[in-house]
Amino acid sequence: MPRTGRPRSFDRDAAVTSATHLFWQHGYEGVSLDQLRTTMGGISSASFYAAFGSKEALYREALSVYLATYGRVTDALRDQTLPPRDRIEHALRRSAMMQTTPGHPTGCMVTLSATIGSDQTTALKGLTAAERQANREAIVLCVTAAIENGTLPANVDTVGLAAMFDGFLLGISLLARDGMTGDILNSAITNAMRAWDMLAIAPR
Amino acid sequence: MPRTGRPRSFDRDAAVTSATHLFWQHGYEGVSLDQLRTTMGGISSASFYAAFGSKEALYREALSVYLATYGRVTDALRDQTLPPRDRIEHALRRSAMMQTTPGHPTGCMVTLSATIGSDQTTALKGLTAAERQANREAIVLCVTAAIENGTLPANVDTVGLAAMFDGFLLGISLLARDGMTGDILNSAITNAMRAWDMLAIAPR
DNA sequence: CGACTTCTGGATCGAGTAGTTCAGATGTCA
DNA sequence: TGACATCTGAACTACTCGATCCAGAAGTCG
């Protein structure tokens, strides 16, 4: 917005990107202002607060950048053009691929960066918890849609089957953080989908 | 060991238990010395350091207490008296039950308390990572044992199937921390085991 | 050029961090 | 009882935390 005045001497977008990676890797409380300012090119405190407002505001911005980019891998869960089973499988495979791709931290920022920590971060934990809840509900909708279109029998335990995929999706973040490769994760996903297929071929 | 001298005025075991719960809930860096001393009955810094040495030493002690008690739920993975499939199912069900039982934090301390954080906690992260790795290897052994005894066909993707159960086991901690009930987790486990059964009934 | 706007470096703040020190209180044991 | 071992309360250290302030540098625009 400012038309006049001394221009900022650092690239704000690049700074947010590096902050996103730091929070993703170490969690909100695991990153200090010093680290943030250093990776942003050694800017001063004054510059930091003028540009971002506070550490918490920066985290919120970093998280929304994450959701708008890397986090899109679970969009498949809501892709009505795909069959319900494919929505889940695509989301799993894209998540596994993204979370093990070099160039950024492993695992998922929503799952890892604000899950545990002191009570002072309750508000931020709520942000990521809401995202996880949204995915949870989308997975349930995939199962109910499959029952409605006859892919899965009507007596399927909707919540239980959805929780299985939900839990596995969350677990992928921890596997990736522990160093598991994308190939192995893809094999694991193939096996997870067998739980769905077992129900799909069950006698009605 | 001390035979003489002024006796300690607080219950050391009870103090370790409350510390375990704090670390379990908030993670190593999410707990402050003030919190620890307060929940231990308001003991002083001097008493704390005389009894435990340091915050890190207390965490190590708390973790070993956890492993020797709550953490035993995954012992089933190594129970040679059980069929391989039951080893995995028992470990999953006992974990889900324990992690959702009231009276202590939800989820698993090994999975949650030292997974992310600043670089200063690398050593502690290694402790829990080693435990996860041990479970990982035990799950692989369950799969290979099932292949050897003919329960699963020889062409099963061992690592992929094991990673699926491993990932789901880890995910249970996050589901429990998000408030999922033990009943739903048990339903999810029933569905996860279908992936195994799908392979077990496959034509050779 | 000169008025105006914005950003920057550096000092600084108060609170909180883990950890230390020591005199004195409180116990055990011969 | 008295020598001794241990623990406790409170003050304190050295440091890091996130955040603020201000003087001056470095731009834009009429």
Side-chain angles (χ1 to χ4, degrees):
Chain A
M1 303 327 145
R3 304 188 334 283
T4 79
R6 175 178 177 179
R8 185 175 287 126
S9 68
F10 63 96
D11 183 336
R12 192 181 187 285
D13 287 344
V16 171
T17 298
S18 63
T20 301
H21 287 190
L22 270 182
F23 285 132
W24 187 352
Q25 176 72 32
H26 301 291
Y28 176 70
E29 291 181 312
V31 179
S32 71
L33 260 267
D34 253 9
Q35 276 182 281
L36 287 166
R37 287 172 29 229
T38 300
T39 63
M40 285 172 173
I43 69 174
S44 70
S45 281
S47 304
F48 177 91
Y49 282 93
F52 306 109
S54 70
K55 183 188 178 186
E56 177 171 338
L58 175 59
Y59 176 84
R60 299 180 111 98
E61 191 171 339
L63 181 62
S64 80
V65 164
Y66 176 89
L67 291 173
T69 55
Y70 306 102
R72 301 288 299 277
V73 288
T74 53
D75 281 2
L77 290 175
R78 300 163 194 83
D79 184 348
Q80 304 299 322
T81 70
L82 291 174
R85 184 187 183 282
D86 288 3
R87 291 179 213 162
I88 291 178
E89 181 166 6
H90 280 48
L92 289 173
R93 294 206 188 277
R94 286 176 189 163
S95 292
M97 158 99 81
M98 185 280 284
Q99 294 179 26
T100 55
T101 297
H104 57 70
T106 54
C108 168
M109 182 176 177
V110 170
T111 304
L112 301 174
S113 77
T115 317
I116 54 163
S118 79
D119 284 330
Q120 300 171 13
T121 62
T122 309
L124 297 183
K125 288 188 222 169
L127 288 183
T128 57
E131 292 297 323
R132 293 193 297 274
Q133 181 62 29
N135 280 343
R136 204 160 353 256
E137 289 163 6
I139 293 173
V140 170
L141 286 180
C142 289
V143 175
T144 55
I147 294 173
E148 279 169 21
N149 76 11
T151 312
L152 289 179
N155 64 350
V156 157
D157 168 24
T158 307
V159 175
L161 184 60
M164 184 251 137
F165 287 112
D166 187 18
F168 179 61
L169 174 62
L170 296 171
I172 287 176
S173 282
L174 294 162
L175 290 178
R177 194 47 75 93
D178 275 347
M180 197 129 296
T181 65
D183 284 349
I184 296 180
L185 290 179
N186 263 319
S187 301
I189 291 166
T190 299
N191 283 287
M193 296 313 296
R194 291 193 214 281
W196 176 293
D197 297 332
M198 184 81 173
L199 290 166
I201 66 170
R204 309 299 157 100
Chain B
M1 301 328 145
R3 305 191 331 288
T4 80
R6 177 177 176 178
R8 186 175 286 124
S9 69
F10 62 97
D11 183 337
R12 193 181 187 285
D13 287 345
V16 172
T17 298
S18 62
T20 302
H21 287 191
L22 270 181
F23 285 131
W24 186 353
Q25 176 72 30
H26 301 291
Y28 176 70
E29 291 181 312
V31 178
S32 72
L33 271 231
D34 254 9
Q35 277 182 281
L36 288 166
R37 286 172 29 227
T38 299
T39 64
M40 285 172 174
I43 69 174
S44 71
S45 281
S47 303
F48 177 90
Y49 281 92
F52 306 110
S54 71
K55 182 188 177 187
E56 177 172 337
L58 175 59
Y59 176 84
R60 299 179 111 99
E61 192 171 337
L63 181 62
S64 79
V65 165
Y66 176 89
L67 291 173
T69 55
Y70 306 102
R72 302 288 299 278
V73 289
T74 53
D75 281 3
L77 290 176
R78 300 162 194 84
D79 183 349
Q80 304 299 322
T81 70
L82 291 174
R85 184 188 183 282
D86 288 0
R87 291 179 213 163
I88 292 178
E89 181 166 6
H90 280 48
L92 289 172
R93 295 207 188 276
R94 286 176 189 163
S95 292
M97 159 99 82
M98 184 280 285
Q99 294 180 26
T100 55
T101 297
H104 57 72
T106 54
C108 168
M109 183 176 176
V110 170
T111 305
L112 301 174
S113 77
T115 316
I116 55 165
S118 78
D119 284 330
Q120 300 172 12
T121 62
T122 309
L124 298 183
K125 288 187 220 170
L127 289 183
T128 57
E131 292 297 323
R132 293 192 297 274
Q133 181 62 29
N135 280 344
R136 212 173 327 272
E137 290 163 5
I139 293 173
V140 171
L141 286 180
C142 290
V143 176
T144 55
I147 294 173
E148 279 169 21
N149 76 12
T151 311
L152 289 178
N155 65 348
V156 157
D157 168 24
T158 306
V159 175
L161 184 61
M164 184 251 137
F165 287 112
D166 187 18
F168 178 62
L169 173 62
L170 296 171
I172 287 177
S173 282
L174 294 163
L175 291 179
R177 194 47 77 92
D178 274 347
M180 197 130 297
T181 65
D183 284 350
I184 297 180
L185 291 179
N186 264 318
S187 301
I189 291 165
T190 299
N191 283 287
M193 297 312 297
R194 291 192 214 284
W196 178 293
D197 298 332
M198 184 80 173
L199 291 166
I201 65 171
R204 311 298 157 98

